Every structure is written in C-alpha cells, then in structure tokens.
Amino acid sequence: MKPLSPVSLKVNGDAYELSIPAWRTLLEVLREDLSLTGTKRSCQEGQCGACTVLLDGRAIYSCLFLAVEAQGKEILTIEGLARSAGALDPIQKAFVETGAVQCGFCTPGLIMAAKSFLDENPSPSEEEVRRATVGHLCRCTGYFQIIEAVLAAARERAGKGAPA
Amino acid sequence: MSVQACGDYAIIGKPVPKKDAWIKVTGEAKYADDLFLAGMLHGKLLRSPHPHAKISHIDTSRAEKLAGVRAVITGKDFPGVKYGNMPQTRDYLPLAIDKVRYIGDEVAAVAAIDEEIAEEALDLIRVEYEPLPAVFDAEEAMKPGAPQLHDHAANNMSAETAFQFGDVAKGFAESDYLQEDLFETQPIKQGMLEPHACIGQWDETGKITLWASKQSPYVVWKQLSMGLGIETSRIRVIQTYVGGGFSGGKQEAMPMDFCAVVLSKKCGRPVKFVHNMDEVLTIGHMRHPMKLWLRTGVKKDGTLLAQHLKIIADGGAYSSIGQLSMYLPGAMLNLPYRVQHVKYEAYRAYTNNGFCGALRGHTIPQVCFARDSQLDLIAEKLGLDPIDIRLKNGLRPGEVTPNGFRLGTFGFTECVEKAMEASGWKEKRGNLPRYRGIGMGCGSLVSGARVMGHSASTAQVNVHEDGTVALVTGSTDVGQGADTVLSMIAAEVLGVGLDDIRFALVDTDMTPADPGTFSSRVTFWTGNAVKIAAEDARRQLAEIAAEKLKAEIDDVVFRDRQVYVRNDPQRRLRFDELVRLAQHRLGKVIMGKGSYTSGEALIDFRTGYGNMSPAYTPSACVVEVEVDPQTGQVTVAGVWGAHDCGFPLNPMLVKGQVLGATVMGIGQALYENLIRVDGKVMNPSFRDYKMPLTEDMPKLANVGHVNVITNDPSGPFGAKEAGEGAAAGVIAAVANAVYNATGVRFRSLPFSPDKILFALKESGGKGGKAQVQSQSFT
C-alpha cells in the first residue's frame, strides 16, 4: 500500500486534516480529496496556468506543487474568491462583463493570477497585465477580452477602495 | 469594435454577458473531469509505439494480476465493427485488433482503482508487434509499392475529389498573365485546454450512459451504437460543460468512450477516462498538412479568369471526415472572388501519422492562405494595389458561383473597405519603416452546411407558470455562446428577460436529435429552430391573450414580461399571469416546438456541385507586422478585421469569436507546428507546441473589428456565421505583411524565425524595401 502522510491544509479559510501519499500534488488533493474542482487539470506540467491557486496571496501552479509543501499557508482557490467577497469578486465580475469567458476552462486560473497580480499592482498598465498573464493559455478568446477584464477589474477595485 | 444599432429589439443585438459566465468564473461549472461517481474506477489506454505494425499477440495476464486493477480489455472485446462519420469514412475501431497504423493508436485499456495503478498496469501488458514498413509522406504514400494502411483503400487513397466548372484551359488561354505557385501548410493542433474526458457506465439493465465533454453529442451517440453493435435506444450521452472544442476529437466517439462503457460492463462500476496532454497532442484530429499547387490566369486589369488548384493532403492513419475535408478547399475556391473557370483536384492520402480532420475553418484556411498570398503576387506583377485586385474580383450579393453556391447577402466589398479604413491602410502601405509591413487576406465561410444525412436542428420552448422558459435544443455550447444567443432569440420572441430562459445541456434521452456543433451552424440552424419554436409558443399564448384582452391575435404584443394590445397598451397582462391562465384555468401547458433545415440537397463531395449552405460570410483581415532582422522574429503589431455576420445578435460574443479565430490564425502563421519524425510527435507538450500567448498579441489600441451588417433574410434576426470565417484570411494577411516588411515571400507555414533569418540572409539581408529602393535608383 502507499505510505500515507498526515497533512494539514487551510483552504479558503477552512482547515482540513488529511492522510495522503506525500507525492500528491496540491492540484490532485484540491480536486480529488476536497472536491474543489474549480481548479482545473489541463497540462499538468506548469505550462497552461489552468490550475493556478494562491498560496499566501502568491499565484502558483498547483500541478507543480506538492500538497505537503502547502502546509502552514493560506490557500485560496476560485471557490474561495467569491465566498470571501460575499458576491462576485470584482475580477470575476469583470471577466463576466467583458466577455472574457468562453469555454471557461482557463478562467479560474486566470482570475486567480489576476487577483494575485492586482493585489501587488492595483493600477497596472496594459503591458503589465499582458506580462502578468503570459503564463496562461487561452485558446478561445485570443486574450484581448481577458486583458480588458483585468484592466476593468483594476479600475473597479480602485473606485471601491479595495482593501490592500 | 463598432457598436451597431439594435433596431427595435429588446434583447437581440445587445452586448450582454454569456449566460454561463457566472458559474464559470466561480468554478462551479462541471466539466467531465470534475465529475466523480460513487465507486468510480479510472481508465488508461495503451498506445502503439510503432507507426505501422501487425499485432500478433497481446498478453494482459500480468496487468490483470496487479493489485487494484479491475479489468483489461483489447480490441477483441468489441464486435470488430468499424465506425465513422460517413459510410465511406468508416475506418476506426475502438481498439486495434490486428494492426496499428500510427504512434498513438489505441491497443488496450485498463480500469483500476486509481490512475497511477492504471498507468502501472499499462506497462505490464505485453504486446507482440511485427513492425511493418511505414510511410509518412502523402506523395510517397500514393506511389505504387508504398506500404498500404487499409485494405479498402488502394494506393492509400483515403478521399479523392476532382471537379471542373467552366473550362480552365479556355480561361488560361484567354489570360494575359499566368501565376503558378506551390504552397505548403503544416499540421497544427486544436489546442483546447480541456483534455478529452468521459465517464462510462453500463448498468444492470444493459443501459449505457456516457457523461462526456462533447461538442457533437449525437454524433458520439450514433458512433457508439455503431462500434458497440448496440441500438441507440440503449445508449444515453450526457454532455458536460465543454472546455473548448475546435473539432479536436470532441465531435466524435473516441476510443476512451468505447473503453469506458465496456470496462464498466466488465467491472460493474462507472469508469472514468481523462487524457494526459501528451496524449491529446499526439493522437488524431489535427489540421491537414497540405501541398497546394495553384495556377491562376488573369487579365492585365487584374480580372481573375481561371484557377486550377491541386491539393495533396496528409490525412494520417484514419479518415475522420476526409471526403468533406477534400471537398471544401475546392468549393471555397469559388468564394469570395469571382472566377469563371475553376478546376480542382484533391487527394487525401493515408499515412502513418496522426490522423487529420476539422479545426476551426476545417480545410478552408489553407486554401485562403494559398489563394490570397498568390493574389498579392499577381497584384505586384500587374502593378495593382492589393486592395484593388480584391475589390475588382469580389463577389456581390445575389451572384451564383460556378459550383452552384447561391449568394444571398454577401458584404465582401464592405469588409475589404472597412478593414482598409480601420487599419489605416492608405497611410501605412508603402510608408512604413524598414522591416515593418502591412498585408491583407480575405476569406469566406458557410453558415452551417449539410454534410451528412441528418442536418435539421430542433428546439423546444417549454413555458413555465412562473413566466420562465426552459429552452431545450440538441446543440452544445463549447464556449462560443450558443447558450446565450439561442436564449436571446427565445427571449426576444416571447418578450421575456434573458435571465428567464434556462438553456439545457444535451442529454440524448431528453433533448431533440441534432447534428452537432460544426461548420458554424448553431446560431443559424438551431437559432432558426429556436425562433420557430418560440413563435409557436407565442402563438399559443397570443390566442389566449387575444380572447382575454378582447383583441386580434396579431395585435398582441409580447415585451418586457408583459403582454398587451398594440394600440392600447393599458389592456395588458403580465406574461406569467398569462401562462398561469393558460395552464391552470384552461389546462393548456405551453410548449412550442420548431425544426429548421436549409432544404438543400446533400452535395456529392466528389463531384462538388450544389449549394452547400443557406448563407455565406465573407471577411477581410489586415495585419501589420514588425520583423526583427537579427532574430527573425515576427511581431504582430496590429490586426484589423471586418466580417459580414449578417447581424451580430450579441456583439460582445461576436467580438470574442472573431478575435479568438484571428489569434488562432496568427498561431498557425507564426508559431505552431506539430513536429513529427518518422511518425513520432516530437513536441506533444504545451512547452514545445507553441500557441500564442498574451505577450504575442498587439496592443488593444491596435486591434479592431468591424461587423458588416447585411441582415440576412434567411438567418434568425438576420444573423449568419461568426465563429470561423474571420480566421480564414488571417494567415495570408500575415504572409502578405511579412512580404511587405521584408520583400521575402513565404509559401510554407509557419513563418518561423529560422525560415525568416535564412530567407533574409539569402536576399542579402537587405529586405524588400531596400531592394525596391535600390531598383528605383538604377
């Protein structure tokens, strides 16, 4: 049998005590053990960005990150984003309203990356948005509406005095 | 993006968000890999490591003994019936039986308690192969003595087409100038982010259920029936949310689908399959690589007289929908330019490469690349402006093409003019600095086509007592916005809100049969069906309202969730009140239904004559590039397009479709190439298979799209195709812009840095403008 390790994770504010093989990725544990399937499994080699979550506010590819390494950190997934805001986060809202969502498979990862980025850089230039999202593939949109959405979210957050 | 007038519509024409965007941004939308059924097992497929080999023996005993493995199957667990799209293309087996034909061909499948054990079990399956000589080049494959892939296809001829309309010999004889070129295109992948995924269940009663990420679930349903030898009534396909389609396999039944249900039968448990990305990028369904010989005869003034196109396509190991793939380039040679004499020959050869099929625009972008590249060559020879030669030859509304396409609306001239204006063509062309260039490419597409026996789409509009509506169709939203646009049509007709409409996902036990999502058909075909169905429901309600409001039926207006008398709006009912009146007092549950088909005859793809589609869309694209002479890198500095989608039912979604298609075209022009060496894919990873990224895109200020409004009378609220056509001309636009920047003409895709550097070196590193300037001095 596979050796199991006790792992404590804090995801979207909830604490979980798990027993898992130590080599399981954060992506696998989020999806398969915690049923948080909003984080998407695509290339599984850190190329597409679909599995992006936040670890203490920093965007990471959860497919390249072992769950055991995430212990002691605050993990935020797409499911936690709306919940913490009580409604759609301004980034989610902007993605909806600018047409940045087509098939939606890249969307959660991009929104999490945008969240991390805008928390660091609340009023970015278009060029900075482009650079911040370069680690994400989208085959549907051609990216333009995604870039527009991130810029619109930045404006919205600035207008509402989003918490630092 | 210009905003167009919406007329008197309440909902149609408004840039409203996609209906399912909310559950997609919250992560709630369930894609196939997000489903977990109780007791579910995990499946994996064993693939051939050989491009061509006989299978002499398969020993699965060691794999079966591995702890955690529940079942192992091979081709012998299926009835051995080949399946496929059309009678002449049925050459797939769920699992290979006696022979494998490409590296990646499925040979066996395992179900185990987790994915790791299933993977491990694959290593324990012993397959004895007798390697056969293989062929990887389409022309080699067609020669006598070449290794033969399929018994039914002599000389590896998978599909063959030849037709002539007019008399090209006469046309060439009457021409002042002949231009002949050879173009080559590369294999590219659909590149959708969601890998193929499914869960199959074979229950105690013998009922088969497949939950799967499918863009054409009814095709899957029929093919499962064929390959399993089981009647369709025992098969149920339930579509999940789809993470991108582009005909990358989700339009057909795949080996994983067959194996999931047959393994489920063996194990008594549901079985889930999800491809790894290296499988997705290795296996079949990719764009046909082609050689295209194009000869064009033209008058001095630029009038096109005759074109002869010959294509040899590498079809790979299987047919997919090859007969259609070969018909389309010749058919679309008739659009968007007027050419009196057209001759076409196409050969799709089987080879031991991954197999090819459709991909956004199918085989049309390849021919547009060749034809619109050549148009610029001709224009230069004749001293004509590239815009002028296009405008001179562009087809007009109402014309009939030599192959029998009957054009209704066709705003080609407007597309060219709008793209020219938006891009600042007149100011830029000839005035850009060295290594910067601008080029135009045009194309055309169908608004759906009848490609198989069943082409009709159907809709049901079920009106509920709270005034909401369940819209049931057989169409699938793959991200393109069908859920929203079809709902907008129903909402507009019934005068309710868009949020009042619920759009059903396909479930073959519940939803009406439908051909699927391809050929940019859904808005037009299913849209027309939805409009008819909603009008049917509205008529039923109007009869009741007319009685209640003491008005003529034709005077009853449905708008803003109200039903009122046209010239006396005070006489009114709320929409939900009217529904309850019908349902509770009169015992009439309101259900509207509607079907639509174009009524055109099925075209014989081998002879090519006939009207394929009820409506055609032209498009024009201008691309501005900057070429780095040190690195050979091409940067797209700007892209401006115009597209005649009839009427944009939702301009925000049209914009997303057009720009997404455009960027796919840029990807094929500059970056993408599935590299194969002796049939082995060398870059089956998003690390090495290079798709466009955000930083490759031009600034937002340098991106423009104009909708040319023609209000097609046969489309729902005037709409035509918007998903694929805009991509058709992009590759040629890039080719023409690179030529304009460097003076080097590329006839082979992609225009990668190595090719550019080599070509610049060959041309003395000076670039075209330098050469032109030096000529003008001598």
Side-chain angles (χ1 to χ4, degrees):
Chain A
M1 290 308 287
K2 293 169 181 170
L4 302 178
S5 307
V7 173
S8 308
L9 294 178
K10 196 168 176 202
V11 185
N12 302 331
D14 297 329
Y16 296 91
E17 299 296 330
L18 304 164
S19 244
I20 56 168
W23 60 80
R24 302 246 297 159
T25 65
L26 183 57
L27 173 67
E28 290 167 334
V29 172
L30 288 171
R31 289 178 53 82
E32 295 163 24
D33 297 84
L34 307 185
S35 299
L36 295 169
T37 55
T39 303
K40 297 301 173 208
R41 173 164 78 152
S42 177
C43 76
Q44 300 187 73
E45 56 176 5
Q47 293 295 316
C48 74
C51 65
T52 301
V53 300
L54 302 194
L55 216 62
D56 285 344
R58 189 170 58 94
I60 58 147
Y61 292 151
S62 63
C63 72
L64 295 185
F65 208 91
L66 295 180
V68 291
E69 293 182 290
Q71 295 189 98
K73 297 182 195 305
E74 296 276 347
I75 302 162
L76 184 70
T77 72
I78 191 71
E79 289 89 348
L81 190 57
R83 210 174 87 184
S84 63
L88 286 191
D89 181 276
I91 302 168
Q92 291 172 310
K93 190 162 159 275
F95 268 66
V96 170
E97 289 174 354
T98 55
V101 181
Q102 288 189 30
C103 87
F105 209 75
C106 70
T107 304
L110 267 158
I111 288 174
M112 298 315 287
K115 160 85 176 154
S116 168
F117 168 64
L118 291 179
D119 285 348
E120 286 280 313
N121 184 353
S123 53
S125 67
E126 184 189 325
E127 207 46 50
E128 288 169 330
V129 172
R130 221 182 279 280
R131 201 169 310 133
T133 49
V134 77
H136 294 257
L137 286 169
C138 167
R139 195 58 154 172
C140 296
T141 62
Y143 303 108
F144 300 110
Q145 283 156 307
I146 290 169
I147 294 163
E148 285 172 354
V150 178
L151 290 167
R155 286 193 300 272
E156 168 84 8
R157 284 158 54 112
K160 288 201 173 166
Chain B
M1 182 99 176
S2 66
V3 178
Q4 314 293 343
C6 309
D8 191 29
Y9 300 131
I11 288 173
I12 292 292
K14 305 260 195 299
V16 294
K18 194 159 159 15
K19 272 182 82 71
D20 63 12
W22 203 94
I23 62 162
K24 285 176 173 173
V25 297
T26 56
E28 286 170 77
K30 295 292 182 203
Y31 299 81
D33 189 21
D34 301 336
L35 302 181
F36 294 84
L37 302 189
M40 184 177 86
L41 300 171
H42 297 269
K44 286 286 169 192
L45 289 156
L46 181 69
R47 300 180 179 282
S48 166
H50 298 284
H52 200 193
K54 270 189 190 160
I55 299 172
S56 46
H57 184 66
I58 304 179
D59 178 1
T60 59
S61 58
R62 286 174 67 212
E64 284 162 17
K65 286 181 195 134
L66 182 69
V69 170
R70 291 291 180 268
V72 183
I73 56 171
T74 67
K76 289 178 180 157
D77 290 283
F78 296 90
V81 179
K82 291 184 177 174
Y83 70 98
N85 270 302
M86 299 184 275
Q88 62 271 38
T89 65
R90 284 176 193 151
D91 56 11
Y92 300 135
L93 283 170
L95 291 174
I97 293 178
D98 52 354
K99 193 170 161 175
V100 289
R101 296 179 178 87
Y102 83 104
I103 297 174
D105 225 347
E106 293 82 358
V107 174
V110 173
I113 56 169
D114 65 32
E115 286 185 275
E116 287 86 3
I117 294 173
E119 292 267 11
E120 200 181 334
L122 295 183
D123 293 340
L124 299 175
I125 299 172
R126 191 172 297 143
V127 186
E128 284 171 30
Y129 292 104
E130 286 173 40
L132 295 166
V135 60
F136 306 106
D137 177 87
E139 286 169 276
E140 291 298 320
M142 288 159 59
K143 287 181 183 164
Q148 298 291 296
L149 271 81
H150 293 271
D151 293 341
H152 72 271
N155 302 316
N156 293 313
M157 195 50 60
S158 152
E160 200 174 352
T161 300
F163 46 75
Q164 177 166 202
F165 301 108
D167 180 351
V168 284
K170 181 167 172 280
F172 288 138
E174 289 169 2
S175 295
D176 296 321
Y177 175 70
L178 296 179
Q179 173 79 29
E180 189 170 343
D181 297 280
L182 170 61
F183 297 90
E184 278 187 82
T185 70
Q186 82 280 39
I188 68 164
K189 286 295 294 188
Q190 287 79 3
M192 67 280 175
L193 279 203
E194 183 204 22
H196 314 102
C198 72
I199 300 175
Q201 185 170 42
W202 192 307
D203 74 14
E204 299 278 327
T205 68
K207 177 87 179 184
I208 293 163
T209 305
L210 184 81
W211 292 263
S213 170
K214 295 295 179 187
Q215 71 181 68
S216 299
Y218 284 92
V219 173
V220 177
W221 177 64
K222 285 184 192 170
Q223 291 187 349
L224 277 178
S225 164
M226 250 182 265
L228 293 170
I230 287 173
E231 58 273 31
T232 49
S233 58
R234 278 178 54 203
I235 299 171
R236 179 181 185 186
V237 177
I238 300 175
Q239 174 224 319
T240 61
Y241 280 94
V242 180
F246 313 115
S247 292
K250 297 177 184 175
Q251 75 279 25
E252 297 200 61
M254 303 182 76
M256 64 154 57
D257 304 318
F258 289 97
C259 292
V261 296
V262 168
L263 284 167
S264 173
K265 184 186 184 189
K266 289 209 155 196
C267 304
R269 304 239 219 131
V271 178
K272 180 184 198 173
F273 276 82
V274 185
H275 278 154
N276 294 328
M277 197 49 74
D278 64 334
E279 293 180 283
V280 175
L281 293 175
T282 296
I283 61 171
H285 287 306
M286 56 192 78
R287 174 162 280 165
H288 287 81
M290 288 181 176
K291 280 189 177 175
L292 305 100
W293 287 265
L294 181 60
R295 186 171 201 232
T296 298
V298 60
K299 297 293 263 186
K300 264 185 211 150
D301 66 357
T303 305
L304 298 173
L305 285 187
Q307 286 196 304
H308 181 183
L309 174 64
K310 182 181 166 191
I311 285 177
I312 293 181
D314 173 358
Y318 296 100
S319 272
S320 180
I321 195 161
Q323 201 66 252
L324 173 65
S325 308
M326 291 302 96
Y327 157 78
L328 280 173
M332 298 311 277
L333 196 58
N334 291 269
L335 294 176
Y337 305 110
R338 188 183 306 102
V339 185
Q340 208 180 336
H341 309 285
V342 176
K343 186 176 178 185
Y344 177 60
E345 298 152 73
Y347 307 92
R348 183 186 191 274
Y350 283 122
T351 69
N352 296 108
N353 286 318
F355 59 93
C356 298
L359 188 163
R360 204 167 200 166
H362 207 141
T363 40
I364 298 166
Q366 292 101 313
V367 69
C368 290
F369 158 58
R371 192 248 328 269
D372 261 54
S373 293
Q374 194 184 62
L375 261 189
D376 268 35
L377 284 160
I378 292 169
E380 186 176 36
K381 281 273 167 32
L382 300 179
L384 298 171
D385 185 89
I387 300 270
D388 293 339
I389 196 167
R390 285 173 172 81
L391 288 175
K392 183 171 200 60
N393 292 288
L395 287 160
R396 301 295 164 90
E399 289 196 57
V400 179
T401 64
N403 67 331
F405 287 175
R406 296 194 303 276
L407 303 189
T409 61
F410 199 73
F412 175 76
T413 304
E414 294 85 344
C415 285
V416 172
E417 287 170 350
K418 294 289 178 195
M420 180 178 75
E421 287 163 18
S423 62
W425 175 279
K426 284 196 167 148
E427 300 78 53
K428 287 176 181 168
R429 181 86 180 180
N431 298 319
L432 292 171
R434 198 168 158 190
Y435 296 117
R436 200 161 173 121
I438 189 166
M440 177 177 270
C442 300
S444 203
L445 213 96
V446 297
S447 304
R450 183 170 177 192
V451 298
M452 285 174 277
H454 171 209
S455 68
S457 281
T458 296
Q460 299 165 359
V461 167
N462 301 334
V463 186
H464 293 192
E465 64 174 55
D466 60 355
T468 67
V469 174
L471 175 60
V472 184
T473 75
S475 287
T476 299
D477 186 292
V478 291
Q480 86 279 36
D483 65 333
T484 307
V485 169
L486 297 177
S487 297
M488 289 170 83
I489 291 170
E492 183 71 41
V493 171
L494 291 167
V496 297
L498 183 57
D499 291 342
D500 298 335
I501 313 281
R502 292 185 297 286
F503 183 77
L505 270 59
V506 171
D507 174 340
T508 58
D509 265 7
M510 315 292 285
T511 48
D514 190 276
T517 302
F518 55 84
S519 294
S520 289
R521 64 181 298 287
V522 174
T523 296
F524 196 98
W525 295 57
T526 316
N528 268 324
V530 169
K531 188 160 178 280
I532 295 165
E535 285 165 352
D536 180 25
R538 187 180 63 185
R539 184 192 47 75
Q540 296 170 41
L541 286 164
E543 283 173 9
I544 297 163
E547 176 116 10
K548 174 80 178 172
L549 299 172
K550 300 189 172 27
E552 296 295 319
I553 289 175
D554 292 344
D555 288 336
V556 178
V557 178
F558 290 73
R559 185 133 182 168
D560 301 330
R561 301 188 178 105
Q562 301 281 318
V563 181
Y564 55 86
V565 181
R566 192 177 311 281
N567 293 318
D568 189 3
Q570 297 310 313
R571 281 154 62 201
R572 60 171 57 213
L573 282 162
R574 287 203 320 269
F575 183 79
D576 62 322
E577 279 179 329
L578 174 60
V579 178
R580 283 195 294 276
L581 172 66
Q583 190 167 314
H584 298 184
R585 298 265 185 86
L586 305 174
K588 290 181 178 170
V589 173
I590 305 299
M591 296 177 70
K593 64 174 187 172
S595 286
Y596 171 82
T597 184
S598 70
E600 298 293 343
L602 193 58
I603 290 174
D604 184 336
F605 296 138
R606 289 162 298 187
T607 55
Y609 190 84
N611 192 34
M612 178 167 46
S613 178
Y616 301 89
T617 62
S619 66
C621 177
V622 172
V623 168
E624 186 175 338
V625 298
E626 177 138 15
V627 179
D628 184 334
Q630 302 302 317
T631 63
Q633 188 76 39
V634 178
T635 304
V636 176
V639 53
W640 301 268
H643 179 241
D644 164 16
C645 68
F647 183 79
L649 301 184
N650 182 329
M652 188 165 81
L653 300 189
V654 170
K655 175 181 166 183
Q657 285 305 297
V658 166
L659 296 181
T662 302
V663 171
M664 255 182 161
I666 291 172
Q668 175 158 20
L670 296 179
Y671 313 117
E672 296 176 38
N673 191 8
L674 195 73
I675 299 163
R676 281 94 58 99
V677 175
D678 292 343
K680 182 159 180 61
V681 175
M682 306 308 284
N683 54 345
S685 149
F686 283 148
R687 187 194 326 270
D688 303 316
Y689 183 80
K690 299 291 188 191
M691 303 200 296
L693 299 169
T694 47
E695 285 198 305
D696 301 321
M697 293 301 104
K699 291 190 184 82
L700 294 173
N702 293 338
V703 177
H705 173 72
V706 183
N707 288 317
V708 169
I709 312 273
T710 55
N711 280 311
D712 195 277
S714 54
F717 295 105
K720 299 192 284 188
E721 172 275 334
E724 301 181 88
V730 176
I731 304 172
V734 176
N736 293 335
V738 169
Y739 177 76
N740 186 237
T742 63
V744 180
R745 171 61 58 181
F746 291 95
R747 292 173 177 80
S748 162
L749 289 167
F751 316 134
S752 50
D754 54 327
K755 280 187 202 163
I756 304 250
L757 272 186
F758 188 73
L760 288 177
K761 204 174 165 192
E762 286 269 286
S763 71
K766 286 176 180 166
K769 279 175 200 144
Q771 289 173 8
V772 171
Q773 279 164 8
S774 67
Q775 279 171 9
S776 66
F777 281 112
T778 53

